[in-house]
Amino acid sequence: MAIQGLALAAFILAAKAITLVSAASLVTYIFGDSLTEVGNNNYLQYSLARSDYPWYGIDYSGRKATGRFTNGRTIGDIISAKLGIPPPPPYLSLSKNDDALLTGVNYASGGAGILNDTGLYFIQRLSFDDQIDCFKKTKESITTKIGEDAANKLCNEAMYFIGIGSNDYVNNYLQPFLADSQQYTPEEFGELLISTLDKQLTRLYQLGARKMAFHGLGPLGCIPSQRVKSKTGLCLKRVNEWVLEFNSGVKKLIATLNHRFPNAKFTFADTYGDVLDLIDNPTAYGFKISNTSCCNVDTNIGGLCLPNSKLCSNRTDYVFWDAFHPSDKANEILAEKFFSTLFSGPPSTAPKPSH
């Protein structure tokens, strides 16, 4: 019995070791905007979309700003921890031949959008097209390091997390002084986003991506920067309706891409309903306030948490950190929902906007 017990223990330890090795070898590439940025814009000298100053990072390891647009961790950070890997570093922090390119990179950039003119007034940011260009350079560097066959294998087996599109509304279409809001109807603008995204995801596939997860948009009409535009302080229903149309379009696109490229796996993670429930029923998740931000922001000058801003007395009471971005605690809950959507079952169905 003792020998059998030892054998069983050895088997369990070996199984755990295999799991750890598998997790440690998982390569992830992250594309997106300020919801997943980890510091790329810090390296863009003239970018106005930055968070490398207090109070950002006050609840992150080291309690210092890193370029993350929240008081602590991003959803990407938390997903990485759940996968048993460190969060990928920002692309612009790495040298051309850095070994970190082999283990995962974060290309996300605050202000970025699907369209290249989104966030134009931030002066510098990496649009989704720019981020794909950076990934192309990454693959070229990897090929130089380990050879074409090995580079193709690495890129084929890596996971690609993509979350983008919020700025195309918040920092483009919803800004009346920008051309797109004058040029397109909401339906036409949504179609433009989907057709552009089609080309971009196809390009990623051509560069070797085979496992792509796209994170749908949340109820943008309910974020603090949009609520202040309402006379009643409620969510902007029309904005949420546009978001739902966009999410629906992406779902259809994902189905088309899976049919077009049968050797790839495109996944759509729809957490719209989860985010809306978090905002509508904050107390059910341990929050007290979801209609405004912990950091007392000025929405007239960007809505970011500036160094002279005043903070709430308890940061875990608030769903939102600033006018746009969830708090660390909210990100933890949303990351759990996102992770469950991707790895535990079919995507949730987004409800119609209740506001």
Side-chain angles (χ1 to χ4, degrees):
M1 290 295 291
I3 294 175
Q4 288 178 339
L6 287 172
L8 178 60
F11 175 79
I12 292 171
L13 287 172
K16 286 184 176 180
I18 291 170
T19 302
L20 290 172
V21 169
S22 177
S25 62
L26 178 62
V27 177
T28 59
Y29 294 109
I30 298 175
F31 301 80
D33 49 34
S34 56
L35 292 172
T36 48
E37 190 192 338
V38 294
N40 278 308
N41 286 11
N42 292 356
Y43 298 87
L44 299 176
Q45 184 178 358
Y46 302 109
S47 178
L48 298 180
R50 301 170 73 105
S51 60
D52 57 340
Y53 43 77
W55 300 95
Y56 291 96
I58 189 171
D59 295 308
Y60 190 70
S61 176
R63 297 177 64 84
K64 291 183 179 179
T66 60
R68 288 164 169 82
F69 285 78
T70 181
N71 57 309
R73 302 159 295 169
T74 68
I75 289 177
D77 292 330
I78 298 163
I79 292 291
S80 294
K82 291 178 76 65
L83 291 172
I85 58 175
Y91 172 77
L92 294 180
S93 71
L94 305 173
S95 66
K96 183 179 179 181
N97 298 313
D98 203 306
D99 287 342
L101 297 172
L102 298 167
T103 58
V105 180
N106 186 314
Y107 303 94
S109 173
I114 293 168
L115 304 180
N116 290 325
D117 58 352
T118 289
L120 195 63
Y121 46 73
F122 294 130
I123 304 177
Q124 282 185 302
R125 71 273 178 238
L126 299 176
S127 69
F128 193 22
D129 277 334
D130 292 332
Q131 293 176 39
I132 296 171
D133 288 342
C134 292
F135 175 68
K136 183 175 183 288
K137 293 176 183 176
T138 296
K139 187 175 182 184
E140 290 168 354
S141 295
I142 292 173
T143 301
T144 300
K145 274 181 170 295
I146 63 177
E148 186 173 357
D149 289 346
N152 285 334
K153 185 174 186 293
L154 185 149
C155 291
N156 289 169
E157 293 179 354
M159 290 194 68
Y160 299 77
F161 294 101
I162 305 157
I164 202 159
S166 295
N167 285 311
D168 292 289
Y169 286 98
V170 175
N171 288 306
N172 187 340
Y173 196 72
L174 289 169
Q175 300 295 345
F177 56 86
L178 295 179
D180 284 354
S181 62
Q182 309 296 324
Q183 186 174 353
Y184 302 103
T185 65
E187 293 75 19
E188 290 169 342
F189 187 70
E191 289 170 2
L192 174 63
L193 292 180
I194 299 301
S195 62
T196 305
L197 186 61
D198 185 352
K199 297 182 181 72
Q200 292 164 331
L201 296 180
T202 297
R203 187 172 171 223
L204 272 177
Y205 171 85
Q206 292 167 343
L207 288 169
R210 295 294 181 270
K211 303 172 185 176
M212 288 182 255
F214 190 96
H215 193 183
L217 304 187
L220 296 177
C222 296
I223 66 176
S225 74
Q226 297 305 305
R227 279 184 186 263
V228 296
K229 299 177 182 180
S230 166
K231 293 179 181 179
T232 59
L234 297 177
C235 301
L236 299 183
K237 184 177 179 180
R238 65 185 177 93
V239 175
N240 285 349
E241 288 173 344
W242 297 344
V243 167
L244 285 171
E245 284 297 317
F246 171 82
N247 283 349
S248 178
V250 177
K251 284 181 185 178
K252 293 174 183 175
L253 173 60
I254 293 298
T256 299
L257 291 170
N258 278 321
H259 180 74
R260 191 189 305 164
F261 305 119
N263 63 332
K265 178 60 178 175
F266 296 82
T267 305
F268 181 68
D270 189 353
T271 56
Y272 179 100
D274 294 322
V275 179
L276 187 61
D277 190 50
L278 183 60
I279 293 169
D280 281 346
N281 304 295
T283 55
Y285 299 89
F287 296 97
K288 293 181 179 179
I289 300 170
S290 63
N291 63 340
T292 189
S293 58
C294 168
C295 184
N296 185 19
V297 300
D298 185 344
T299 54
N300 294 317
I301 55 171
L304 294 180
C305 187
L306 301 177
N308 61 349
S309 300
K310 292 183 179 179
L311 303 185
C312 60
S313 58
N314 189 345
R315 295 185 289 278
T316 60
D317 285 345
Y318 285 71
V319 170
F320 288 98
W321 168 244
D322 60 21
F324 306 98
H325 308 102
S327 64
D328 174 88
K329 182 181 174 183
N331 276 337
E332 186 169 19
I333 292 169
L334 296 175
E336 182 66 43
K337 302 281 190 183
F338 181 42
F339 193 86
S340 297
T341 299
L342 280 182
F343 299 104
S344 302
S348 59
T349 302
K352 293 181 179 179
S354 58
H355 303 291

